[in-house]
PDB file of all heavy atoms in Angstrom:
ATOM      1  N   PHE N 784      58.707 -60.339  -1.097  1.00 98.00           N
ATOM      2  CA  PHE N 784      58.760 -61.102   0.152  1.00 98.00           C
ATOM      3  C   PHE N 784      57.549 -60.827   1.047  1.00 98.00           C
ATOM      4  O   PHE N 784      57.652 -60.705   2.254  1.00 98.00           O
ATOM      5  CB  PHE N 784      60.076 -60.838   0.902  1.00 98.00           C
ATOM      6  CG  PHE N 784      61.274 -61.310   0.145  1.00 98.00           C
ATOM      7  CD1 PHE N 784      61.994 -60.442  -0.671  1.00 98.00           C
ATOM      8  CD2 PHE N 784      61.676 -62.632   0.206  1.00 98.00           C
ATOM      9  CE1 PHE N 784      63.086 -60.878  -1.397  1.00 98.00           C
ATOM     10  CE2 PHE N 784      62.766 -63.087  -0.517  1.00 98.00           C
ATOM     11  CZ  PHE N 784      63.490 -62.215  -1.325  1.00 98.00           C
ATOM     12  N   HIS N 785      56.416 -60.733   0.391  1.00 98.00           N
ATOM     13  CA  HIS N 785      55.142 -60.588   1.083  1.00 98.00           C
ATOM     14  C   HIS N 785      54.226 -61.742   0.700  1.00 98.00           C
ATOM     15  O   HIS N 785      54.383 -62.362  -0.351  1.00 98.00           O
ATOM     16  CB  HIS N 785      54.461 -59.264   0.740  1.00 98.00           C
ATOM     17  CG  HIS N 785      55.081 -58.075   1.401  1.00 98.00           C
ATOM     18  ND1 HIS N 785      56.249 -57.508   0.943  1.00 98.00           N
ATOM     19  CD2 HIS N 785      54.697 -57.358   2.485  1.00 98.00           C
ATOM     20  CE1 HIS N 785      56.559 -56.469   1.713  1.00 98.00           C
ATOM     21  NE2 HIS N 785      55.630 -56.361   2.659  1.00 98.00           N
ATOM     22  N   LEU N 786      53.259 -62.002   1.551  1.00 98.00           N
ATOM     23  CA  LEU N 786      52.299 -63.070   1.310  1.00 98.00           C
ATOM     24  C   LEU N 786      51.348 -62.726   0.174  1.00 98.00           C
ATOM     25  O   LEU N 786      50.909 -61.577   0.035  1.00 98.00           O
ATOM     26  CB  LEU N 786      51.479 -63.334   2.578  1.00 98.00           C
ATOM     27  CG  LEU N 786      52.235 -63.926   3.773  1.00 98.00           C
ATOM     28  CD1 LEU N 786      51.411 -63.766   5.042  1.00 98.00           C
ATOM     29  CD2 LEU N 786      52.558 -65.391   3.530  1.00 98.00           C
ATOM     30  N   ASP N 787      51.022 -63.730  -0.610  1.00 98.00           N
ATOM     31  CA  ASP N 787      49.930 -63.642  -1.570  1.00 98.00           C
ATOM     32  C   ASP N 787      49.172 -64.959  -1.523  1.00 98.00           C
ATOM     33  O   ASP N 787      49.137 -65.724  -2.488  1.00 98.00           O
ATOM     34  CB  ASP N 787      50.460 -63.368  -2.971  1.00 98.00           C
ATOM     35  CG  ASP N 787      49.325 -63.229  -3.989  1.00 98.00           C
ATOM     36  OD1 ASP N 787      48.188 -62.929  -3.562  1.00 98.00           O
ATOM     37  OD2 ASP N 787      49.568 -63.460  -5.186  1.00 98.00           O
ATOM     38  N   VAL N 788      48.598 -65.245  -0.373  1.00 98.00           N
ATOM     39  CA  VAL N 788      47.924 -66.514  -0.132  1.00 98.00           C
ATOM     40  C   VAL N 788      46.651 -66.262   0.667  1.00 98.00           C
ATOM     41  O   VAL N 788      46.465 -65.207   1.268  1.00 98.00           O
ATOM     42  CB  VAL N 788      48.821 -67.494   0.671  1.00 98.00           C
ATOM     43  CG1 VAL N 788      49.999 -67.965  -0.164  1.00 98.00           C
ATOM     44  CG2 VAL N 788      49.316 -66.844   1.966  1.00 98.00           C
ATOM     45  N   GLY N 789      45.794 -67.283   0.666  1.00 98.00           N
ATOM     46  CA  GLY N 789      44.646 -67.318   1.553  1.00 98.00           C
ATOM     47  C   GLY N 789      44.863 -68.396   2.601  1.00 98.00           C
ATOM     48  O   GLY N 789      46.004 -68.752   2.930  1.00 98.00           O
ATOM     49  N   LEU N 790      43.763 -68.940   3.094  1.00 98.00           N
ATOM     50  CA  LEU N 790      43.830 -69.898   4.190  1.00 98.00           C
ATOM     51  C   LEU N 790      44.682 -71.119   3.858  1.00 98.00           C
ATOM     52  O   LEU N 790      45.578 -71.507   4.614  1.00 98.00           O
ATOM     53  CB  LEU N 790      42.410 -70.336   4.552  1.00 98.00           C
ATOM     54  CG  LEU N 790      42.271 -71.437   5.590  1.00 98.00           C
ATOM     55  CD1 LEU N 790      42.771 -70.963   6.931  1.00 98.00           C
ATOM     56  CD2 LEU N 790      40.820 -71.876   5.707  1.00 98.00           C
ATOM     57  N   LEU N 791      44.439 -71.752   2.719  1.00 98.00           N
ATOM     58  CA  LEU N 791      45.146 -72.988   2.387  1.00 98.00           C
ATOM     59  C   LEU N 791      46.606 -72.713   2.069  1.00 98.00           C
ATOM     60  O   LEU N 791      47.490 -73.497   2.435  1.00 98.00           O
ATOM     61  CB  LEU N 791      44.455 -73.683   1.214  1.00 98.00           C
ATOM     62  CG  LEU N 791      42.961 -73.962   1.395  1.00 98.00           C
ATOM     63  CD1 LEU N 791      42.398 -74.673   0.162  1.00 98.00           C
ATOM     64  CD2 LEU N 791      42.704 -74.787   2.657  1.00 98.00           C
ATOM     65  N   GLY N 792      46.875 -71.618   1.386  1.00 98.00           N
ATOM     66  CA  GLY N 792      48.260 -71.264   1.095  1.00 98.00           C
ATOM     67  C   GLY N 792      49.032 -70.885   2.336  1.00 98.00           C
ATOM     68  O   GLY N 792      50.237 -71.170   2.448  1.00 98.00           O
ATOM     69  N   THR N 793      48.352 -70.268   3.297  1.00 98.00           N
ATOM     70  CA  THR N 793      49.038 -69.896   4.539  1.00 98.00           C
ATOM     71  C   THR N 793      49.510 -71.130   5.283  1.00 98.00           C
ATOM     72  O   THR N 793      50.597 -71.131   5.871  1.00 98.00           O
ATOM     73  CB  THR N 793      48.089 -69.093   5.447  1.00 98.00           C
ATOM     74  OG1 THR N 793      47.561 -67.998   4.711  1.00 98.00           O
ATOM     75  CG2 THR N 793      48.837 -68.543   6.648  1.00 98.00           C
ATOM     76  N   LYS N 794      48.699 -72.185   5.277  1.00 98.00           N
ATOM     77  CA  LYS N 794      49.111 -73.428   5.921  1.00 98.00           C
ATOM     78  C   LYS N 794      50.373 -73.981   5.280  1.00 98.00           C
ATOM     79  O   LYS N 794      51.250 -74.526   5.968  1.00 98.00           O
ATOM     80  CB  LYS N 794      47.984 -74.458   5.826  1.00 98.00           C
ATOM     81  CG  LYS N 794      48.350 -75.868   6.295  1.00 98.00           C
ATOM     82  CD  LYS N 794      48.651 -75.920   7.773  1.00 98.00           C
ATOM     83  CE  LYS N 794      49.046 -77.313   8.226  1.00 98.00           C
ATOM     84  NZ  LYS N 794      49.381 -77.374   9.661  1.00 98.00           N
ATOM     85  N   ALA N 795      50.494 -73.840   3.976  1.00 98.00           N
ATOM     86  CA  ALA N 795      51.543 -74.547   3.253  1.00 98.00           C
ATOM     87  C   ALA N 795      52.819 -73.765   3.033  1.00 98.00           C
ATOM     88  O   ALA N 795      53.907 -74.348   3.000  1.00 98.00           O
ATOM     89  CB  ALA N 795      50.991 -75.006   1.895  1.00 98.00           C
ATOM     90  N   ILE N 796      52.746 -72.458   2.873  1.00 98.00           N
ATOM     91  CA  ILE N 796      53.850 -71.747   2.235  1.00 98.00           C
ATOM     92  C   ILE N 796      55.140 -71.751   3.053  1.00 98.00           C
ATOM     93  O   ILE N 796      56.230 -71.979   2.508  1.00 98.00           O
ATOM     94  CB  ILE N 796      53.438 -70.304   1.853  1.00 98.00           C
ATOM     95  CG1 ILE N 796      54.531 -69.673   0.977  1.00 98.00           C
ATOM     96  CG2 ILE N 796      53.125 -69.460   3.085  1.00 98.00           C
ATOM     97  CD1 ILE N 796      54.073 -68.420   0.270  1.00 98.00           C
ATOM     98  N   LEU N 797      55.068 -71.540   4.350  1.00 98.00           N
ATOM     99  CA  LEU N 797      56.294 -71.472   5.141  1.00 98.00           C
ATOM    100  C   LEU N 797      56.987 -72.833   5.172  1.00 98.00           C
ATOM    101  O   LEU N 797      58.210 -72.933   4.988  1.00 98.00           O
ATOM    102  CB  LEU N 797      55.991 -70.988   6.553  1.00 98.00           C
ATOM    103  CG  LEU N 797      55.441 -69.564   6.667  1.00 98.00           C
ATOM    104  CD1 LEU N 797      55.116 -69.229   8.120  1.00 98.00           C
ATOM    105  CD2 LEU N 797      56.416 -68.549   6.093  1.00 98.00           C
ATOM    106  N   GLY N 798      56.228 -73.896   5.409  1.00 98.00           N
ATOM    107  CA  GLY N 798      56.811 -75.227   5.431  1.00 98.00           C
ATOM    108  C   GLY N 798      57.299 -75.663   4.063  1.00 98.00           C
ATOM    109  O   GLY N 798      58.341 -76.325   3.945  1.00 98.00           O
ATOM    110  N   ALA N 799      56.562 -75.309   3.001  1.00 98.00           N
ATOM    111  CA  ALA N 799      56.992 -75.664   1.654  1.00 98.00           C
ATOM    112  C   ALA N 799      58.360 -75.078   1.353  1.00 98.00           C
ATOM    113  O   ALA N 799      59.185 -75.706   0.667  1.00 98.00           O
ATOM    114  CB  ALA N 799      55.966 -75.178   0.638  1.00 98.00           C
ATOM    115  N   LEU N 800      58.617 -73.889   1.850  1.00 98.00           N
ATOM    116  CA  LEU N 800      59.925 -73.254   1.650  1.00 98.00           C
ATOM    117  C   LEU N 800      60.990 -73.864   2.548  1.00 98.00           C
ATOM    118  O   LEU N 800      62.032 -74.334   2.081  1.00 98.00           O
ATOM    119  CB  LEU N 800      59.808 -71.749   1.907  1.00 98.00           C
ATOM    120  CG  LEU N 800      59.035 -70.933   0.858  1.00 98.00           C
ATOM    121  CD1 LEU N 800      58.669 -69.567   1.406  1.00 98.00           C
ATOM    122  CD2 LEU N 800      59.856 -70.797  -0.435  1.00 98.00           C
ATOM    123  N   SER N 801      60.743 -73.884   3.861  1.00 98.00           N
ATOM    124  CA  SER N 801      61.801 -74.305   4.794  1.00 98.00           C
ATOM    125  C   SER N 801      62.111 -75.788   4.681  1.00 98.00           C
ATOM    126  O   SER N 801      63.251 -76.202   4.938  1.00 98.00           O
ATOM    127  CB  SER N 801      61.423 -73.947   6.233  1.00 98.00           C
ATOM    128  OG  SER N 801      60.225 -74.580   6.625  1.00 98.00           O
ATOM    129  N   ASP N 802      61.151 -76.602   4.286  1.00 98.00           N
ATOM    130  CA  ASP N 802      61.401 -78.040   4.129  1.00 98.00           C
ATOM    131  C   ASP N 802      62.160 -78.365   2.853  1.00 98.00           C
ATOM    132  O   ASP N 802      62.581 -79.509   2.657  1.00 98.00           O
ATOM    133  CB  ASP N 802      60.077 -78.817   4.109  1.00 98.00           C
ATOM    134  CG  ASP N 802      59.384 -78.827   5.458  1.00 98.00           C
ATOM    135  OD1 ASP N 802      60.023 -78.471   6.462  1.00 98.00           O
ATOM    136  OD2 ASP N 802      58.193 -79.185   5.490  1.00 98.00           O
ATOM    137  N   ASN N 803      62.334 -77.379   2.000  1.00 98.00           N
ATOM    138  CA  ASN N 803      62.922 -77.632   0.690  1.00 98.00           C
ATOM    139  C   ASN N 803      64.042 -76.654   0.349  1.00 98.00           C
ATOM    140  O   ASN N 803      64.169 -76.185  -0.781  1.00 98.00           O
ATOM    141  CB  ASN N 803      61.829 -77.585  -0.387  1.00 98.00           C
ATOM    142  CG  ASN N 803      60.831 -78.709  -0.246  1.00 98.00           C
ATOM    143  OD1 ASN N 803      61.113 -79.853  -0.568  1.00 98.00           O
ATOM    144  ND2 ASN N 803      59.640 -78.387   0.286  1.00 98.00           N
ATOM    145  N   GLY N 804      64.846 -76.345   1.370  1.00 97.00           N
ATOM    146  CA  GLY N 804      66.062 -75.578   1.130  1.00 97.00           C
ATOM    147  C   GLY N 804      65.892 -74.084   1.023  1.00 97.00           C
ATOM    148  O   GLY N 804      66.833 -73.386   0.607  1.00 97.00           O
ATOM    149  N   GLN N 805      64.721 -73.554   1.382  1.00 98.00           N
ATOM    150  CA  GLN N 805      64.460 -72.119   1.254  1.00 98.00           C
ATOM    151  C   GLN N 805      64.058 -71.503   2.589  1.00 98.00           C
ATOM    152  O   GLN N 805      63.175 -70.655   2.657  1.00 98.00           O
ATOM    153  CB  GLN N 805      63.365 -71.893   0.206  1.00 98.00           C
ATOM    154  CG  GLN N 805      63.658 -72.473  -1.154  1.00 98.00           C
ATOM    155  CD  GLN N 805      64.782 -71.751  -1.876  1.00 98.00           C
ATOM    156  OE1 GLN N 805      65.128 -70.607  -1.539  1.00 98.00           O
ATOM    157  NE2 GLN N 805      65.377 -72.399  -2.874  1.00 98.00           N
ATOM    158  N   ALA N 806      64.721 -71.908   3.660  1.00 98.00           N
ATOM    159  CA  ALA N 806      64.338 -71.431   4.994  1.00 98.00           C
ATOM    160  C   ALA N 806      64.552 -69.935   5.148  1.00 98.00           C
ATOM    161  O   ALA N 806      63.780 -69.256   5.843  1.00 98.00           O
ATOM    162  CB  ALA N 806      65.122 -72.187   6.057  1.00 98.00           C
ATOM    163  N   ASP N 807      65.597 -69.381   4.551  1.00 98.00           N
ATOM    164  CA  ASP N 807      65.834 -67.940   4.667  1.00 98.00           C
ATOM    165  C   ASP N 807      64.675 -67.153   4.061  1.00 98.00           C
ATOM    166  O   ASP N 807      64.246 -66.124   4.611  1.00 98.00           O
ATOM    167  CB  ASP N 807      67.143 -67.560   3.977  1.00 98.00           C
ATOM    168  CG  ASP N 807      68.376 -67.955   4.772  1.00 98.00           C
ATOM    169  OD1 ASP N 807      68.219 -68.368   5.937  1.00 98.00           O
ATOM    170  OD2 ASP N 807      69.491 -67.851   4.231  1.00 98.00           O
ATOM    171  N   VAL N 808      64.158 -67.632   2.939  1.00 98.00           N
ATOM    172  CA  VAL N 808      63.013 -66.964   2.306  1.00 98.00           C
ATOM    173  C   VAL N 808      61.783 -67.093   3.196  1.00 98.00           C
ATOM    174  O   VAL N 808      61.024 -66.126   3.376  1.00 98.00           O
ATOM    175  CB  VAL N 808      62.751 -67.562   0.913  1.00 98.00           C
ATOM    176  CG1 VAL N 808      61.504 -66.944   0.292  1.00 98.00           C
ATOM    177  CG2 VAL N 808      63.956 -67.343   0.010  1.00 98.00           C
ATOM    178  N   ALA N 809      61.584 -68.279   3.773  1.00 98.00           N
ATOM    179  CA  ALA N 809      60.438 -68.472   4.670  1.00 98.00           C
ATOM    180  C   ALA N 809      60.509 -67.516   5.849  1.00 98.00           C
ATOM    181  O   ALA N 809      59.492 -66.919   6.245  1.00 98.00           O
ATOM    182  CB  ALA N 809      60.397 -69.915   5.162  1.00 98.00           C
ATOM    183  N   TYR N 810      61.698 -67.356   6.412  1.00 98.00           N
ATOM    184  CA  TYR N 810      61.830 -66.451   7.561  1.00 98.00           C
ATOM    185  C   TYR N 810      61.555 -65.002   7.161  1.00 98.00           C
ATOM    186  O   TYR N 810      60.875 -64.276   7.887  1.00 98.00           O
ATOM    187  CB  TYR N 810      63.212 -66.570   8.185  1.00 98.00           C
ATOM    188  CG  TYR N 810      63.407 -65.554   9.292  1.00 98.00           C
ATOM    189  CD1 TYR N 810      62.689 -65.653  10.483  1.00 98.00           C
ATOM    190  CD2 TYR N 810      64.246 -64.463   9.108  1.00 98.00           C
ATOM    191  CE1 TYR N 810      62.824 -64.697  11.480  1.00 98.00           C
ATOM    192  CE2 TYR N 810      64.385 -63.498  10.101  1.00 98.00           C
ATOM    193  CZ  TYR N 810      63.671 -63.623  11.288  1.00 98.00           C
ATOM    194  OH  TYR N 810      63.794 -62.656  12.267  1.00 98.00           O
ATOM    195  N   ARG N 811      62.077 -64.564   6.006  1.00 98.00           N
ATOM    196  CA  ARG N 811      61.798 -63.193   5.566  1.00 98.00           C
ATOM    197  C   ARG N 811      60.301 -62.958   5.435  1.00 98.00           C
ATOM    198  O   ARG N 811      59.783 -61.900   5.785  1.00 98.00           O
ATOM    199  CB  ARG N 811      62.496 -62.906   4.234  1.00 98.00           C
ATOM    200  CG  ARG N 811      63.986 -62.670   4.350  1.00 98.00           C
ATOM    201  CD  ARG N 811      64.570 -62.147   3.041  1.00 98.00           C
ATOM    202  NE  ARG N 811      64.105 -60.808   2.695  1.00 98.00           N
ATOM    203  CZ  ARG N 811      64.558 -60.097   1.661  1.00 98.00           C
ATOM    204  NH1 ARG N 811      65.494 -60.625   0.869  1.00 98.00           N
ATOM    205  NH2 ARG N 811      64.085 -58.891   1.398  1.00 98.00           N
ATOM    206  N   LEU N 812      59.622 -63.978   4.935  1.00 98.00           N
ATOM    207  CA  LEU N 812      58.169 -63.886   4.782  1.00 98.00           C
ATOM    208  C   LEU N 812      57.495 -63.830   6.154  1.00 98.00           C
ATOM    209  O   LEU N 812      56.591 -63.014   6.389  1.00 98.00           O
ATOM    210  CB  LEU N 812      57.693 -65.106   3.998  1.00 98.00           C
ATOM    211  CG  LEU N 812      56.341 -65.070   3.304  1.00 98.00           C
ATOM    212  CD1 LEU N 812      56.265 -63.932   2.303  1.00 98.00           C
ATOM    213  CD2 LEU N 812      56.113 -66.405   2.596  1.00 98.00           C
ATOM    214  N   ALA N 813      57.929 -64.693   7.081  1.00 98.00           N
ATOM    215  CA  ALA N 813      57.311 -64.755   8.405  1.00 98.00           C
ATOM    216  C   ALA N 813      57.571 -63.493   9.219  1.00 98.00           C
ATOM    217  O   ALA N 813      56.732 -63.082  10.023  1.00 98.00           O
ATOM    218  CB  ALA N 813      57.840 -65.971   9.154  1.00 98.00           C
ATOM    219  N   ALA N 814      58.741 -62.898   9.035  1.00 98.00           N
ATOM    220  CA  ALA N 814      59.137 -61.748   9.857  1.00 98.00           C
ATOM    221  C   ALA N 814      58.771 -60.415   9.225  1.00 98.00           C
ATOM    222  O   ALA N 814      59.059 -59.356   9.800  1.00 98.00           O
ATOM    223  CB  ALA N 814      60.646 -61.802  10.115  1.00 98.00           C
ATOM    224  N   GLN N 815      58.145 -60.454   8.057  1.00 98.00           N
ATOM    225  CA  GLN N 815      57.786 -59.223   7.363  1.00 98.00           C
ATOM    226  C   GLN N 815      56.903 -58.345   8.254  1.00 98.00           C
ATOM    227  O   GLN N 815      56.053 -58.845   8.996  1.00 98.00           O
ATOM    228  CB  GLN N 815      57.040 -59.584   6.080  1.00 98.00           C
ATOM    229  CG  GLN N 815      56.705 -58.424   5.186  1.00 98.00           C
ATOM    230  CD  GLN N 815      57.948 -57.698   4.706  1.00 98.00           C
ATOM    231  OE1 GLN N 815      58.231 -56.602   5.189  1.00 98.00           O
ATOM    232  NE2 GLN N 815      58.684 -58.292   3.788  1.00 98.00           N
ATOM    233  N   GLU N 816      57.089 -57.036   8.182  1.00 98.00           N
ATOM    234  CA  GLU N 816      56.344 -56.129   9.061  1.00 98.00           C
ATOM    235  C   GLU N 816      55.493 -55.115   8.306  1.00 98.00           C
ATOM    236  O   GLU N 816      54.922 -54.207   8.917  1.00 98.00           O
ATOM    237  CB  GLU N 816      57.315 -55.398   9.998  1.00 98.00           C
ATOM    238  CG  GLU N 816      58.041 -56.343  10.945  1.00 98.00           C
ATOM    239  CD  GLU N 816      59.037 -55.628  11.853  1.00 98.00           C
ATOM    240  OE1 GLU N 816      59.161 -54.393  11.741  1.00 98.00           O
ATOM    241  OE2 GLU N 816      59.689 -56.309  12.659  1.00 98.00           O
ATOM    242  N   THR N 817      55.424 -55.246   6.976  1.00 98.00           N
ATOM    243  CA  THR N 817      54.559 -54.364   6.203  1.00 98.00           C
ATOM    244  C   THR N 817      53.506 -55.209   5.497  1.00 98.00           C
ATOM    245  O   THR N 817      53.633 -56.423   5.373  1.00 98.00           O
ATOM    246  CB  THR N 817      55.366 -53.542   5.174  1.00 98.00           C
ATOM    247  OG1 THR N 817      56.123 -54.435   4.345  1.00 98.00           O
ATOM    248  CG2 THR N 817      56.316 -52.588   5.882  1.00 98.00           C
TER     249      THR N 817
END
Side-chain angles (χ1 to χ4, degrees):
F784 296 95
H785 285 78
L786 293 164
D787 182 22
V788 291
L790 174 66
L791 305 181
T793 307
K794 172 66 181 178
I796 190 165
L797 296 177
L800 289 164
S801 60
D802 290 346
N803 294 285
Q805 304 291 341
D807 285 351
V808 176
Y810 175 68
R811 284 190 67 174
L812 200 58
Q815 185 61 254
E816 296 178 0
T817 55

